[in-house]
Amino acid sequence: MKKIIKLTESDLEKIVKRVLKEQSIINELASDADDFGGSQETVNSEISSFNQNAPRSQKENMVAIQQKLKSLGYDLGAYGPNKDGIDGNYGKRTLAAIKDFQIKNGVKSTGCVGTVTAP
């Protein structure tokens, strides 16, 4: 039995936009994964490089990420000036919190806060 559903043009437009957005997110998962991917050695190297070479703006972004993770209840340790784990460095606890957040939210667990994870 077939059903005929009547949609307004704006309803159809909303449905198409939603499908396209979902498809875009699926395609971006691969780009998020590519940002870090690889072996644990590669990940450790990326973290070390970030902590040693990141410009001030990236450190400020990491502080914002850590603040959000902390507000969501993640334990980031006792680092930083307030001993709350918010120090702008990309450490093992921050990495673990990001990966856990990604898993809980259906995003590929890469440890990278890219275009899919950030929103």
Side-chain angles (χ1 to χ4, degrees), residues 28 31-32 35 113-119:
E28 287 175 6
S31 68
D32 258 8
D35 289 345
V113 180
T115 57
V116 175
T117 302

Side-chain angles (χ1 to χ4, degrees), residues 46-54 59 62 87-91:
E46 290 288 336
I47 289 171
S48 178
S49 176
F50 175 88
N51 290 334
Q52 292 173 13
N53 304 314
K59 292 276 191 175
M62 184 55 66
D87 60 2
N89 288 319
Y90 193 16

Side-chain angles (χ1 to χ4, degrees), residues 1 5 8-10 13 22 24 33 38 40-41 58-59 61 64 68 77-78 95 99 101 107 109 119:
M1 178 168 150
I5 301 172
T8 65
E9 189 174 330
S10 65
E13 187 176 319
E22 289 173 2
S24 172
Q40 186 61 47
E41 186 176 303
Q58 284 184 329
K59 292 276 191 175
N61 287 342
K68 186 61 178 176
L95 173 63
K99 285 185 169 190
F101 173 84
V107 178
S109 177

Side-chain angles (χ1 to χ4, degrees), residues 8-72:
T8 65
E9 189 174 330
S10 65
D11 287 338
L12 181 58
E13 187 176 319
K14 288 176 188 175
I15 291 169
V16 170
K17 283 182 179 180
R18 183 174 174 189
V19 169
L20 291 173
K21 181 179 178 184
E22 289 173 2
Q23 184 62 42
S24 172
I25 289 171
I26 289 168
N27 290 338
E28 287 175 6
L29 285 175
S31 68
D32 258 8
D34 291 344
D35 289 345
F36 240 15
S39 67
Q40 186 61 47
E41 186 176 303
T42 302
V43 171
N44 290 342
S45 174
E46 290 288 336
I47 289 171
S48 178
S49 176
F50 175 88
N51 290 334
Q52 292 173 13
N53 304 314
R56 184 179 184 143
S57 62
Q58 284 184 329
K59 292 276 191 175
E60 290 167 358
N61 287 342
M62 184 55 66
V63 166
I65 290 166
Q66 289 172 328
Q67 287 171 334
K68 186 61 178 176
L69 290 167
K70 188 74 175 172
S71 76
L72 293 170

Side-chain angles (χ1 to χ4, degrees), residues 93-112:
R93 287 187 183 221
T94 299
L95 173 63
I98 292 169
K99 285 185 169 190
D100 185 65
F101 173 84
Q102 290 171 322
I103 290 167
K104 288 180 178 174
N105 288 279
V107 178
K108 185 170 177 114
S109 177
T110 63
C112 175

